[in-house]
Amino acid sequence: EEPNPMHFSFVLQAFVDVGKINEATKWLKMAQEAGIEPRIDFHLLIIKAYGKAGLPDDAVIWFNHIEDNGLKPTAACYQEVVKAFSKTGRRNEALEWYNKMKDSNVVQANSVSVLAAIFASIHADVVSDTSMWQGMLLQAGSQMAAKDYSDLIAALAKAGRSTEVEYWIRHLRATDMLNELYFDVAISEFAMTQQIADAMR
């Protein structure tokens, strides 16, 4: 019976989900030895796992394996490396990989990746980096969906960043998206300040 890539994918995902990266990488090598053709989604899972574990240098190693195996990195692959460096507060490397992504002309290189970096820096509580990435998001000029703005505002609210929440709400007043956002959920869950509530009116 021919080896089934889906079987390998399920096991690989399971190891990644529980944080067993070494087992996941061994399983990927087993898949290759079994004759499974290299797949971008397999490599992306490993890159994500190293990023989640706070190991961006290892994420880069596996990113490089993509081209070694004759594949082309997708926007998601670059995005996960940007996130990995941003999450660990390594701003210069995060910017370097963001610029590599732009130079590669992969689809959705701008707003998607900057948002990923913003969320990672919020998670790492690196205030200066979050502000920098938010500025780049505005410079990119890419149209974001209402859900993207909702997620960004909710993440900032959860982190207690009331001034930035207020800024984005005021920014959205110039768009038709303000009424589409689920602010009631954000307010009740994260208990935003009266100042933010006032900005919404």
Side-chain angles (χ1 to χ4, degrees), residues 60-134:
V60 168
I61 290 172
W62 278 90
F63 180 96
N64 292 334
H65 286 337
I66 294 173
E67 292 185 333
D68 292 342
N69 284 307
L71 301 172
K72 186 175 181 179
T74 62
C77 297
Y78 283 99
Q79 175 183 314
E80 290 303 323
V81 176
V82 173
K83 273 174 60 178
F85 281 116
S86 185
K87 181 179 178 181
T88 52
R90 292 168 64 176
R91 174 194 289 191
N92 291 338
E93 289 96 334
L95 281 169
E96 177 186 345
W97 278 90
Y98 173 71
N99 288 325
K100 283 182 180 180
M101 178 169 42
K102 287 200 300 183
D103 292 342
S104 72
N105 294 318
V106 293
V107 178
Q108 294 182 329
N110 288 330
S111 62
V112 173
S113 310
V114 175
L115 275 171
I118 289 173
F119 293 138
S121 60
I122 292 172
H123 177 77
D125 197 26
V126 185
V127 177
S128 59
D129 283 7
T130 304
S131 299
M132 175 196 71
W133 287 112
Q134 289 182 95

Side-chain angles (χ1 to χ4, degrees), residues 66 99 101 124 164 172 183 192 200:
I66 294 173
N99 288 325
M101 178 169 42
E164 289 161 276
L172 288 172
F183 289 118
M192 294 197 297
M200 293 168 57

Side-chain angles (χ1 to χ4, degrees), residues 110-173:
N110 288 330
S111 62
V112 173
S113 310
V114 175
L115 275 171
I118 289 173
F119 293 138
S121 60
I122 292 172
H123 177 77
D125 197 26
V126 185
V127 177
S128 59
D129 283 7
T130 304
S131 299
M132 175 196 71
W133 287 112
Q134 289 182 95
M136 290 178 67
L137 184 61
L138 290 172
Q139 291 173 12
S142 300
Q143 289 295 320
M144 296 197 301
K147 177 69 164 57
D148 296 327
Y149 284 112
S150 295
D151 290 346
L152 172 58
I153 291 169
L156 289 167
K158 185 176 182 180
R161 310 271 275 277
S162 59
T163 301
E164 289 161 276
V165 172
E166 182 182 4
Y167 168 80
W168 281 103
I169 292 172
R170 293 190 185 284
H171 175 73
L172 288 172
R173 283 193 178 283

